[in-house]
């Protein structure tokens, strides 16, 4: 349990199989992502300067990343000035230890949590449980996931893979809420009753953070339910944990992101609740405030020129919602608390490209580019995917696949070899071709023919045709192409299959 | 204008008629077409699969082959996308300044067929005739990397006899993704199934696109279902005339 909730237990391909086989889950996902995709497009198109705003967001983040050390030290100083305490955690284990120590020093048996993705990254709940402390999720979706003993499958909507009927059943079993209908209102009410008691009785809270302002030492959370605000203001002790990259220099910068984030994530003009807190204020809110700054691989990502842009991410989840691979395979296939396109580049990097399963993630993309178009801070996810593929492949021992690719490159770097290979393949494909198509391929390529046919190599390649073309003066004045044999070109393919 | 053709390895070996159609179309529009036989493959498959060093061999080969071309035109959005968008990355990541300079000089002269016709030549009506109900699949690379926009649709709308049927969820990837289709066949297949459903819902006789790799994928799914709908490259539709239906 050292590297935390980002270590996949299986390869993407293996894990994806589970969701792909679950028709209900696929329907839930397809429905949810389609709805939010359309809403987001509308919300974004309302702003005439959306593209400029994206550029501004990207530039600001790049500026922060280029000066990260300075801004973090500023943040630390500001938080301390306001009576808060700052802790630096190198990895997940250190962060868990720091948080558990603080909670234990107050004799806590329970803590309430909000905005839990970073705490999921460090597997805080399990870490606290080891110390006899029970963590209670207060985000509705996180609560659902926790009660179901499930794992989150989406950054923003961790229970996106579940539908209302499933949730009603869960609340009935786990919260003893009888007589519920599928109505969202009723479901929310059941959760509210359960959580209200927790808000009123729990002394220690743990939160994530969306942003922190270096100049004032202010931490910020944006949310939709208001549970976050309860969590941030009711308890006596508040511990906020955030990734190093979440710092912003000034309040002015915050204005850019408070416009980019809600439209990209929930397709709202403004999110319902935005909470800010700076250190401690006598007579108001928690009496003790701790800020845990988490590295957990981030400084290594920062050191990489191409990979660095990954840290611009504001966890809006727009890339998940537009990703056709995420929509089909589901969040669990990514095996980490960071699913979807951002997870495919963030997870392997946080694990220093050393985890075999995480290293399958950069291939979990058809490179369609929808994520890059949607990303409010213009992370070129396809570019980073390709870059990581290169790095991971470089490190691998010579596989059959590598030999095939190397051979192909050798063949194709010389036209005569390439042409020879086409001829060889044409001769060799004979036994595979039935009724003008290939229905089963051997070896590594077999994945193709599980569900698709393949046309055969053509009887005459383009270059063969080109070579046999009559000279220009022999052709018709309109330049009509004719086959070398002088036959008119009939509406059928070279392999003789009528169209 | 003298146009250098880049026929791409897939078109050369498996879809030569797309190349033939491209030749015929460009010549019909009055241009001189050249085919430099030294050309092979753009290296996309290697680069996208993580074999960047091997891809570099092909990048260099491409640059050497087309260095002197006035314009290079290819009937393949993804291969042109590779050249324009990723050749600079390949050179940069390899730390090869000289190659980067060459790539930057060449890449802006490399075009996908439909964008070349509409944006560069300003032609929207190529005098084609194709009396069929057709639906158009927007390939990801043409749409998001090359930003060809509605260039293919403008061309199709001017084809005599052609009935254009709108494809639902047109912006969704067909799930090909090169080696993605082989490395993650189940996910790829799930994407393909939805795309094939969309295509069939249009009741089109043919699904067209500017890229035979995507069409090979969609066509492979349609063929397995033994659905009557076929796939045909945009170039073949545009090359067809009343005198001679090409595709
Ligand atoms: S990568 Fe971009 S789109 Fe995806 S979650 Fe991060 S900020 Fe949002």
């Amino acid at each position: 349990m050292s590297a935390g909730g980002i270590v996949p237990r299986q390869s993407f391909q293996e894990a994806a199989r589970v969701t792909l086989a679950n028709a209900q889950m696929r329907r839930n996902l397809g429905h949810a992502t389609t709805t939010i995709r359309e809403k987001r497009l509308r919300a974004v198109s309302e702003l005439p300067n959306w593209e400029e705003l994206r550029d501004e967001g990207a530039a600001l983040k790049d500026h922060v990343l280029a000066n990260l050390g300075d801004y973090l030290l500023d943040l630390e100083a500001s938080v301390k000035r306001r009576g808060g305490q700052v802790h630096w955690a190198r990895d997940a284990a250190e962060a868990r230890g720091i948080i558990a120590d603080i909670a234990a020093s107050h004799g806590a048996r329970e803590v309430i949590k909000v905005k839990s993705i970073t705490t999921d990254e460090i597997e805080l709940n399990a870490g606290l449980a080891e110390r006899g402390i029970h963590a209670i999720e207060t985000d509705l979706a996180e609560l659902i996931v926790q009660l179901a003993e499930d794992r989150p499958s989406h950054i923003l909507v961790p229970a996106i893979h579940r539908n209302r009927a499933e949730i009603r059943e869960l609340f009935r079993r786990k919260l003893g809420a009888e007589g519920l209908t599928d109505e969202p209102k009723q479901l929310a009410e059941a959760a509210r009753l359960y959580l209200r008691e927790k808000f009123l009785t729990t002394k220690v809270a743990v939160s994530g953070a969306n942003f922190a302002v270096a100049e004032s030492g202010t931490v910020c959370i944006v949310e939709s339910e208001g549970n976050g605000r309860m969590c941030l203001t009711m308890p006596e002790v508040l511990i906020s944990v955030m990734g190093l990259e979440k710092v912003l220099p000034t309040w002015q910068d915050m204005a850019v992101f408070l416009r980019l984030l809600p439209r990209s994530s929930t397709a709202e003009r403004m999110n319902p609740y935005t909470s800010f807190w700076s250190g401690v204020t006598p007579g108001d809110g928690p009496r003790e405030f701790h800020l845990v700054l988490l590295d957990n691989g981030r400084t290594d990502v920062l050191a990489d020129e191409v990979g660095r842009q990954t840290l611009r991410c504001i966890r809006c989840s727009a890339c998940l919602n537009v990703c056709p691979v995420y929509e089909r395979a589901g969040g669990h296939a990514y095996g980490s608390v960071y699913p979807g396109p951002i997870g495919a580049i963030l997870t392997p990097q946080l694990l220093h490209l050393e985890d075999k399963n995480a290293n399958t993630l950069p291939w979990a993309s058809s490179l369609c580019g929808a994520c890059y178009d949607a990303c409010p801070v213009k992370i070129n996810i396809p570019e980073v995917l390709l870059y990581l593929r290169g790095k991971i492949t470089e490190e691998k021992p010579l596989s059959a696949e590598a030999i095939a690719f190397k051979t192909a490159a050798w063949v194709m770097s010389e036209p005569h070899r390439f042409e020879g290979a086409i001829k060889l393949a044409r001769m060799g494909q004979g036994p595979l071709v039935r009724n003008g198509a290939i229905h089963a391929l051997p070896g590594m390529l077999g994945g193709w023919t599980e569900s698709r046919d393949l046309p055969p190599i053509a009887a005459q390649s383009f270059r063969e045709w080109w070579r046999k073309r009559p000279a220009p003066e022999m052709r018709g004045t309109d330049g009509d192409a004719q086959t070398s044999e002088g036959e008119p070109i009939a509406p059928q393919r070279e392999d003789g299959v009528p169209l | 204008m003298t146009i250098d053709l880049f026929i791409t390895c897939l078109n050369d070996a498996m879809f030569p008629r797309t190349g033939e159609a491209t030749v015929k179309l460009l010549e019909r529009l009055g241009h001189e077409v050249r085919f430099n036989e030294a050309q092979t493959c753009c290296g996309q498959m290697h680069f996208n699969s993580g074999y960047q060093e091997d891809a570099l061999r092909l990048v260099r080969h491409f640059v050497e082959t087309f260095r002197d071309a006035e314009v290079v035109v290819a009937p393949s959005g993804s291969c042109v996308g590779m050249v324009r968008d990723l050749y600079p990355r390949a050179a940069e990541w390899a730390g090869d300044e000289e190659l980067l300079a060459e790539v930057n000089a060449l890449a802006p002269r490399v075009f996908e067929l439909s964008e070349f016709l509409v944006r560069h030549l300003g032609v929207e009506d190529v005098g084609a005739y194709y009396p069929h109900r057709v639906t158009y699949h927007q390939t990801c690379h043409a749409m998001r990397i090359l930003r060809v926009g509605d260039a293919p649709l403008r061309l199709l709308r001017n084809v005599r006899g052609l009935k254009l049927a709108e494809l639902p969820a047109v912006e969704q990837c067909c799930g090909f993704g090169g080696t993605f289709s082989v490395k993650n066949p189940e996910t790829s297949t799930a994407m393909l199934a939805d795309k094939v459903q969309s295509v069939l819902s249009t009741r089109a006789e043919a699904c067209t696109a500017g890229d035979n790799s995507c069409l090979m994928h969609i066509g492979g799914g349609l063929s397995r279902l033994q659905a009557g709908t076929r796939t045909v490259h945009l170039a073949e539709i545009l090359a067809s005339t009343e005198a001679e239906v090409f595709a």
Side-chain angles (χ1 to χ4, degrees):
Chain A
M1 201 184 65
S2 64
I6 51 175
V7 189
R9 277 170 262 163
Q10 286 173 303
S11 71
F12 177 84
Q13 194 191 3
E14 289 162 339
R17 218 163 268 154
V18 181
T19 311
L20 286 164
N22 184 336
Q24 181 62 54
M25 201 185 270
R26 261 178 77 188
R27 257 196 306 278
N28 295 349
L29 266 169
H31 179 72
T33 51
T34 309
T35 313
I36 194 160
R37 241 188 343 252
E38 285 160 9
K39 273 175 66 187
R40 188 197 73 94
L41 273 182
R42 246 175 298 155
V44 160
S45 63
E46 277 178 6
L47 283 190
N49 61 345
W50 182 250
E51 287 307 312
E52 287 156 42
L53 210 54
R54 282 176 82 202
D55 283 330
E56 208 179 331
L60 264 169
K61 274 286 187 177
D62 278 348
H63 170 77
V64 171
L65 293 173
N67 302 281
L68 192 62
D70 294 340
Y71 286 123
L72 285 171
L73 291 175
D74 287 353
L75 177 68
E76 180 182 37
S78 312
V79 170
K80 283 184 174 163
R81 208 165 42 237
R82 299 274 187 139
Q85 299 173 46
V86 176
H87 312 263
W88 300 78
R90 258 170 305 200
D91 57 24
E94 246 182 50
R96 280 197 301 267
I98 292 165
I99 298 168
D101 283 347
I102 300 169
S105 74
H106 290 273
R109 308 306 309 259
E110 281 192 340
V111 302
I112 47 176
K113 287 177 61 197
V114 67
K115 282 270 157 183
S116 286
I117 192 159
T118 312
T119 65
D120 288 340
E121 177 186 327
I122 60 173
E123 283 197 314
L124 181 65
N125 293 11
L128 289 172
E130 275 181 4
R131 306 274 294 264
I133 303 167
H134 179 56
I136 298 155
E137 301 293 346
T138 69
D139 286 319
L140 186 54
E142 287 273 2
L143 176 67
I144 292 165
V145 169
Q146 188 181 36
L147 292 176
E149 293 166 48
D150 197 354
R151 285 175 303 131
S153 68
H154 190 277
I155 294 179
L156 205 83
V157 202
I160 195 169
H161 56 292
R162 303 213 162 235
N163 64 23
R164 287 190 238 150
E166 293 171 302
I167 294 165
R168 179 192 58 183
E169 181 52 26
L170 185 69
F171 281 6
R172 213 180 47 73
R173 263 189 306 122
K174 294 289 177 104
L175 302 181
E178 292 298 336
L180 280 183
T181 67
D182 287 3
E183 279 282 306
K185 214 171 143 201
Q186 283 210 19
L187 295 174
E189 185 60 26
R192 180 177 294 140
L193 283 174
Y194 166 76
L195 288 174
R196 178 151 306 163
E197 193 221 315
K198 299 294 176 192
F199 289 135
L200 292 170
T201 55
T202 312
K203 298 270 178 290
V204 178
V206 181
S207 88
N210 285 99
F211 308 101
V213 183
E215 66 176 359
S216 62
T218 305
V219 185
C220 167
I221 273 185
V222 295
E223 44 131 5
S224 312
E225 294 164 13
N227 291 345
R229 180 157 302 170
M230 298 286 277
C231 209
L232 298 165
T233 50
M234 302 289 288
E236 286 168 18
V237 180
L238 173 60
I239 310 163
S240 301
V241 51
M242 64 173 237
L244 297 180
E245 76 281 13
K246 300 247 173 112
V247 64
L248 295 176
T250 67
W251 277 89
Q252 201 103 56
D253 306 324
M254 181 80 82
V256 174
F257 294 101
L258 288 184
R259 274 179 288 164
L260 283 174
L261 181 58
R263 282 180 206 260
S264 303
S265 59
T266 46
E268 290 166 305
R269 299 186 180 112
M270 187 74 213
N271 52 285
Y273 292 87
T274 307
S275 303
F276 297 104
W277 64 103
S278 317
V280 289
T281 311
D284 185 21
R287 266 160 268 161
E288 220 179 282
F289 171 62
H290 300 265
L291 181 61
V292 181
L293 297 171
L294 176 71
D295 184 336
N296 207 29
R298 285 165 174 77
T299 45
D300 289 337
V301 183
L302 186 67
D304 189 294
E305 265 180 58
V306 181
R308 180 181 306 155
Q309 55 184 311
T310 312
L311 296 180
R312 285 188 208 148
C313 176
I314 55 173
R315 309 279 188 266
C316 71
S317 75
C319 58
L320 278 64
N321 300 327
V322 298
C323 176
V325 172
Y326 175 89
E327 184 182 334
R328 293 355 182 267
H332 291 158
Y334 298 79
S336 149
V337 298
Y338 301 116
I342 181 61
I345 58 172
L346 181 60
T347 304
Q349 290 190 86
L350 289 180
L351 297 172
H352 319 284
L353 301 186
E354 279 164 8
D355 186 88
K356 208 170 117 265
N357 290 330
N359 283 357
T360 63
L361 293 174
W363 279 269
S365 164
S366 65
L367 303 173
C368 79
C371 50
Y372 182 25
D373 270 9
C375 178
V377 285
K378 283 198 164 173
I379 300 173
N380 191 336
I381 296 176
E383 177 188 41
V384 181
L385 287 168
L386 289 177
Y387 175 75
L388 296 177
R389 287 180 187 186
K391 295 221 126 181
I392 294 165
T393 306
E394 235 170 67
E395 300 295 313
K396 265 203 256 169
L398 208 59
S399 60
E401 183 198 274
I403 293 168
F405 272 98
K406 282 187 192 314
T407 311
W410 178 80
V411 167
M412 288 185 173
S413 57
E414 218 279 303
H416 294 105
R417 281 184 219 141
F418 175 49
E419 190 166 2
I422 295 178
K423 286 186 181 148
L424 267 180
R426 190 188 289 148
M427 288 194 291
Q429 72 185 355
L432 298 173
V433 182
R434 297 244 182 298
N435 298 328
I438 296 173
H439 307 287
L441 281 169
M444 286 189 289
L445 300 173
W448 176 277
T449 41
E450 272 170 33
S451 61
R452 295 152 282 214
D453 293 337
L454 192 72
I457 305 278
Q460 175 179 258
S461 70
F462 175 84
R463 66 183 68 220
E464 285 163 342
W465 172 82
W466 176 269
R467 233 172 263 147
K468 290 186 202 157
R469 267 184 113 200
E473 57 279 9
M474 306 289 287
R475 275 180 253 141
T477 41
D478 62 348
D480 265 4
Q482 289 200 324
T483 51
S484 54
E485 292 80 18
E487 318 153 351
I489 295 170
Q492 63 174 25
R493 261 181 359 206
E494 284 299 331
D495 51 22
V497 181
L499 285 171
Chain B
M1 178 184 307
T2 305
I3 298 165
D4 263 86
L5 289 179
F6 173 45
I7 289 304
T8 84
C9 59
L10 189 76
N11 283 324
D12 189 4
M14 294 174 79
F15 302 97
R17 290 184 65 86
T18 297
E20 295 168 30
T22 309
V23 172
K24 180 176 157 141
L25 172 64
L26 291 172
E27 286 184 345
R28 191 171 79 215
L29 294 173
H31 300 281
E32 189 197 334
V33 175
R34 293 197 306 199
F35 176 75
N36 182 338
E37 290 196 32
Q39 64 181 271
T40 55
C41 159
C42 68
Q44 180 184 197
M45 187 175 68
H46 287 84
F47 196 71
N48 286 4
S49 304
Y51 296 93
Q52 289 168 4
E53 251 176 59
D54 300 303
L56 268 177
R57 283 176 87 141
L58 300 170
V59 173
R60 293 204 176 93
H61 182 76
F62 185 95
V63 169
E64 272 164 35
T65 306
F66 290 109
R67 180 180 281 144
D68 298 323
E70 186 184 348
V71 290
V72 181
V73 173
S76 163
S78 66
C79 300
V80 173
M82 172 71 193
V83 174
R84 287 230 297 263
D85 187 49
L86 295 174
Y87 272 22
R89 294 292 92 70
E92 248 169 54
W93 295 346
D96 191 334
E97 291 292 328
E98 218 174 294
L99 183 63
L100 180 63
E102 288 233 49
V103 162
N104 283 338
L106 174 60
R109 286 181 279 138
V110 182
F111 299 96
E112 184 270 338
L113 180 63
S114 72
E115 64 167 356
F116 179 72
L117 293 172
V118 174
R119 301 266 170 72
H120 208 79
L121 297 182
V123 180
E124 293 187 8
D125 185 347
V126 295
Y129 171 75
Y130 192 69
H132 297 284
R133 186 177 172 85
V134 172
T135 192
Y136 169 70
H137 166 64
Q138 221 173 12
T139 67
C140 300
H141 283 80
M143 171 173 45
R144 300 203 184 87
I145 292 178
L146 301 177
R147 308 270 176 207
V148 303
D150 64 351
L153 289 171
R154 282 168 185 260
L155 291 161
L156 284 171
R157 283 193 201 111
N158 283 308
V159 174
R160 248 88 56 221
L162 186 143
K163 276 193 235 49
L164 195 58
E166 201 183 319
L167 187 67
V170 67
E171 81 295 341
Q172 282 248 338
C173 175
C174 72
F176 174 56
T179 38
F180 172 75
S181 56
V182 178
K183 287 208 170 198
N184 287 291
E186 290 93 350
T187 310
S188 167
T189 294
M191 291 159 72
L192 176 63
D194 292 347
K195 182 58 73 184
V196 164
Q197 239 16 75
S198 299
V199 170
L200 293 179
S201 77
T202 65
R203 293 178 293 107
E205 295 160 71
C207 173
T208 191
D211 208 318
N212 272 326
S213 49
C214 310
L215 287 177
M216 182 173 77
H217 193 233
I218 297 170
L222 287 167
S223 152
R224 181 60 55 94
L225 288 180
Q226 303 204 303
T229 310
R230 60 196 153 90
T231 49
V232 52
H233 192 285
L234 180 67
E236 294 172 39
I237 293 181
L238 299 180
S240 298
T241 59
E242 220 141 338
E244 180 188 0
V245 171
F246 195 88

